[in-house]
Structure formats: structure tokens, C-alpha cells
Amino acid sequence: MRRIYVVVEGQSEESFITNVLAESLAPRGISLTARLIGKGRHKGGRPIYARLKPDVISQLKQDRNAYCSTMLDFYGLGQDFPGKPLPSNLSSLEKGERIEKAVKEDISRQLLDAELRFIPYVQLHEYEGLLFSDPGGFARAIKKLELATQFQKVRDEFPTPEDINERPDTAPSKRVRQIYRPYQKVIEGTLAAREVGIDAMRRECPHFRNWLERLEAV
């Protein structure tokens, strides 16, 4: 099995990696392990680059035969990330790619083999965006079939689920809670991801699909 450690910002992403994505990639001979950003009692939380960089370098050094990736929401990324500030005219896809390229270049300057073993990924724009890949599946997972139409309406406003934007009042999770206030990010987010399925996410979300292809190619 090829080992890939994924540094994540929160429990939603940790659960998604552990309980959904790892299961999908295991038949391809890939073992995914999630690692919360940070140390000790300060694990998880808003990702700033000063916290991420030492975690990535430490992980790459600890297991020289493994790969390291990330799953961090673009919404909420610290302003200290390489590649920021971003030009305002970039598409969602270009934003993610710009940050990932800059982060990889910075890590590779400190650790030469990071060029081969580090696969940065920034989720556009938030984990919940993936769940809009199948609004009906999302509604079924949380046992609220009557909400499928409202989820679909949100999805239809954007070219892809990854374009659902990053403003404080309109980020994907904020839109979910405007429709379904009791939404539980970790439990229901994981159930929804299982129901929506990796295939739908791969089909609907080009940046996510590109990440999966990079993971599968290690």
C-alpha cells in the first residue's frame, strides 16, 4: 500500500478522509491517514501557514517512503499563505491552483524531495461544497427529502459546486444552515458525503477531481 498522510483543518475533513475517501482509494492500493493541523491540545482550527508548514515538513521527514497532502478550505485560509493576496479576476479553479503551486514551491525550497512527495490541495471553497454535487443525495442523507429542491436551487446558481462562494454569509456551510439550521458538520457531513458519493464529487468538482487523480498517480 502507498501511504499518504493528509493534513486537515477540522473534524469534518478528518472524518471525510477516514470514513469516505480512504475507503474509495483503498482498492487502488492507497492508504490515506488524516492528521489534524497543529500540535497537542491545539489541533484543528483555522489554518494559517505558520501552523501548516511545520506539520507538512515534519510528516515528510518522519516517513520518507510516504506522501503528504492537505485538505484545507479556501474559505478561511490565513493571509500568510504563499500566493496571497490573489488577483480578484481569478476563477475559483485558478485560485486553488495558485495557492497550491505557491505552497508546494515554498515547501520544496526547504525539503528537496517534497517536489515528488508533497501533494497540496485546497478545497474550493469549503468542505460542504462537495455535498452540493448531488443535492438529492444530500437531502436523503440527513433524512430531509423536502429540502432537496432548496439544495438544488443553490447548486443551480453556480457553474460547479466549487464555485459556491467564500463570503462569510454565503460560504457553503452557511448556505446549508440557512436551509437546515440543525446541520451537524461532522456526523451529517460524513453521512451526506457517503450518500453523495465520490463518483458524483469527481464528476461535478473539477478541482477535487484533479486532486484525486494526483493521489491515484503516486
Side-chain angles (χ1 to χ4, degrees), residues 148-159:
T149 300
Q150 294 181 66
F151 288 148
Q152 186 67 54
K153 183 178 179 181
V154 172
R155 168 65 185 88
D156 290 344
E157 292 177 13
F158 299 91

Side-chain angles (χ1 to χ4, degrees), residues 50 65 93 149 153 165 173 192 204-205 209:
N65 295 314
L93 183 60
T149 300
K153 183 178 179 181
N165 58 29
S173 67
E204 295 291 316
C205 303
R209 178 171 64 246

Side-chain angles (χ1 to χ4, degrees), residues 22-217:
E23 183 178 306
S24 174
L25 294 182
R28 295 177 178 267
I30 296 171
S31 172
L32 287 187
T33 302
R35 295 274 192 261
L36 277 170
I37 190 172
K39 306 294 182 185
R41 292 182 297 174
H42 302 287
K43 285 184 175 292
R46 185 170 180 265
I48 59 175
Y49 192 61
R51 298 178 73 206
L52 176 71
K53 184 174 180 177
D55 280 5
V56 169
I57 290 175
S58 174
Q59 190 63 67
L60 288 168
K61 286 182 175 180
Q62 284 177 19
D63 190 341
R64 294 281 183 173
N65 295 314
Y67 294 77
C68 183
S69 189
T70 62
M71 188 176 186
L72 309 168
D73 291 346
F74 180 86
Y75 170 62
L77 278 186
Q79 292 302 314
D80 63 336
F81 264 75
K84 284 198 166 189
L86 291 163
S88 59
N89 63 338
L90 294 182
S91 68
S92 295
L93 183 60
E94 289 169 333
K95 289 176 184 177
E97 291 175 340
R98 180 76 64 94
I99 295 293
E100 290 167 2
K101 183 176 185 289
V103 168
K104 184 159 187 171
E105 288 175 350
D106 186 64
I107 297 290
S108 296
R109 279 193 287 268
Q110 187 161 337
L111 196 64
L112 293 179
D113 65 345
E115 178 64 31
L116 296 174
R117 296 193 297 121
F118 179 43
I119 308 167
Y121 171 63
V122 174
Q123 171 63 43
L124 298 173
H125 282 97
E126 191 177 22
Y127 167 72
E128 277 75 16
L130 294 173
L131 306 182
F132 283 95
S133 297
D134 179 1
F138 191 175
R140 288 194 301 275
I142 62 175
K143 295 181 171 54
K144 295 290 180 180
L145 297 180
E146 68 276 13
L147 301 181
T149 300
Q150 294 181 66
F151 288 148
Q152 186 67 54
K153 183 178 179 181
V154 172
R155 168 65 185 88
D156 290 344
E157 292 177 13
F158 299 91
T160 78
E162 293 174 321
D163 291 295
I164 299 175
N165 58 29
E166 75 272 25
R167 293 198 303 272
D169 57 337
T170 57
S173 67
K174 302 298 191 299
R175 291 174 181 269
V176 171
R177 286 207 165 108
Q178 287 168 5
I179 296 169
Y180 176 55
R181 189 172 296 277
Y183 173 66
Q184 300 177 58
K185 287 177 69 73
V186 180
I187 297 173
E188 292 179 312
T190 302
L191 291 173
R194 279 191 175 279
E195 183 67 27
V196 169
I198 297 299
D199 288 344
M201 295 175 187
R202 186 193 291 264
R203 182 177 63 251
E204 295 291 316
C205 303
H207 192 55
F208 178 75
R209 178 171 64 246
N210 177 265
W211 180 46
L212 294 189
E213 289 173 352
R214 286 185 287 156
L215 295 181
E216 291 164 351

